[in-house]
Amino acid sequence: MKRTLIQNAIIVNEGRTVPGSVVIEDEKIAEILVGEEKASAPCDEIIDATGCYLLPGAIDEHVHFRDPGLTHKADIITESRAAAAGGVTSIMDMPNTNPQTTTLEALDEKFALLSEKSAVNYSCYFGATNNNYTQFAKLDKHRVCGVKLFMGSSTGNMLVDRMASLRNIFGGTDLLIAAHCEDQGIIKENTDKFKKEYGEDVPLSLHPLLRSEEACYRSSELAVQLARETNARLHIMHISTAKELSLFSNAPLSQKRITAEACVSHLLFTEEDYRTLGARIKCNPAIKTAKDRKALQEAVNSGLIDAIATDHAPHLLSEKEGGALKAMSGMPMIQFSLVSMLELVDKGVFTIEKVVEKMAHAPAQMYEIQNRGFIRKGYQADLVLVRPDSNWTVTADCILSKCKWSPLEGHTFNWKVEKTFANGHLLYNNGKIDENYRGQELRFR
């Protein structure tokens, strides 16, 4: 049985940062050694992590890997490799593919694809429609991470807009309901108004006004109301406005039935960035004001926001042409999500302990993932070594996503992902991916 020692690291875990080492044995964390403590038995492999921080692998509970049916722009192989290169060891894939993951048959097919193709650990959501809530009782809650509910129309048009259907969905499962919240009526009203002024396409700078603060707030408010009425487990994804934050609590995560996610893009960009980055940062809900971004960053620190994810959503650059109504919404972010948040640590926005909490610990807790998300003895050895003071620049040739572009091209990072371990296996090592390794299916309590 192979024993691997990662020694001389700075371990960040559960609010503490300490020098130490970790022993991996049989896919799991066998020993956590603090300071100069020595391993209890000899190790077959020793990795010197001097100068590096050792973190639990990030868990991205919000990705669109586009497989099946949309594989011209992304697929599970390419995007899971991008995840590994970014220090993300587990993902949860969204249902707006072709076919949509809204039947038990499509769900089984999605799991089979993930098993065959994913380099990192995985699960996927079952997509809610206006009339498939009767299938919820047949879902295996130890396999399926949650039910995805589009309360606003986005890529794939899986909008659920009937109040009776919404009540059936919220009252029909004890699985986590992950909701995309934007009020379609308000969006249509805004769209009609701007079309009269600008024609069939609308300037990209108006995207935050089409998908407005009020559209986000009204829909999120309704979701929270329905969750409270039914005692449902609700997780509202990609919060984009300061106003929505009033709907959430900063109680300890273990006490919450209603939680909130912020995406890397909304923590990095503001509407001013449309001038230079254009449709590369167009996403739903829209990137909004600097005031909104600052409020989201503060909410991560205060506990109003529970998790940081990516909403990794690749499109071809040719699909990103046009204005607010024609350019497709979504961007590839997973390869650079962790280093982007570590950059905000350098800027004093977050602590490194907070980044680990929101990108690893909290997703594991919210979704009740078995034996992952923490550096604990007996847990799966999903780990990432990151090195500070290691400048490198994002260029097209280093992008592993199939679409081969990023809104961060040309940006120089100070942090670098050096090694990513999935289940104790060295999956990513200084630019090289083990293309033969396949991750494990996540299990939920």
Side-chain angles (χ1 to χ4, degrees), residues 205-251:
S205 59
L206 297 177
H207 186 54
L209 300 182
L210 289 171
R211 291 177 172 265
S212 63
E213 172 188 74
E214 193 61 19
C216 294
Y217 179 79
R218 286 280 185 86
S219 184
S220 292
E221 182 183 40
L222 175 59
V224 168
Q225 175 192 329
L226 289 168
R228 285 179 176 154
E229 287 175 5
T230 58
N231 196 33
R233 175 68 186 88
L234 171 67
H235 183 50
I236 301 187
M237 307 195 118
H238 43 43
I239 298 296
S240 64
T241 72
K243 187 173 183 179
E244 288 169 280
L245 296 171
S246 64
L247 299 169
F248 304 105
S249 160
N250 62 358

Side-chain angles (χ1 to χ4, degrees), residues 6 13 22-32 54-59 89-90 121-122 360 364 369-384 421-425 437-443 445:
I6 304 172
N13 185 56
V22 166
V23 177
I24 300 170
E25 185 179 296
D26 190 28
E27 297 189 348
K28 295 182 169 57
I29 297 167
E31 297 178 61
I32 302 166
L54 182 64
L55 319 177
I59 299 171
T89 54
S90 297
N121 307 311
Y122 58 86
I369 303 172
Q370 290 184 7
N371 299 327
R372 299 185 193 274
F374 298 85
I375 300 177
R376 290 176 178 169
K377 186 176 179 180
Y379 272 49
Q380 293 297 112
D382 296 341
L383 302 165
V384 56
F421 300 83
N423 309 298
H425 181 84
Y437 185 77
R438 294 293 173 264
Q440 299 178 1
E441 186 178 309
L442 297 176
R443 300 297 290 176
R445 291 188 179 85

Side-chain angles (χ1 to χ4, degrees), residues 34 71 168 189 197 289:
V34 177
T71 54
N168 285 327
E189 190 177 299
E197 189 172 348
T289 68

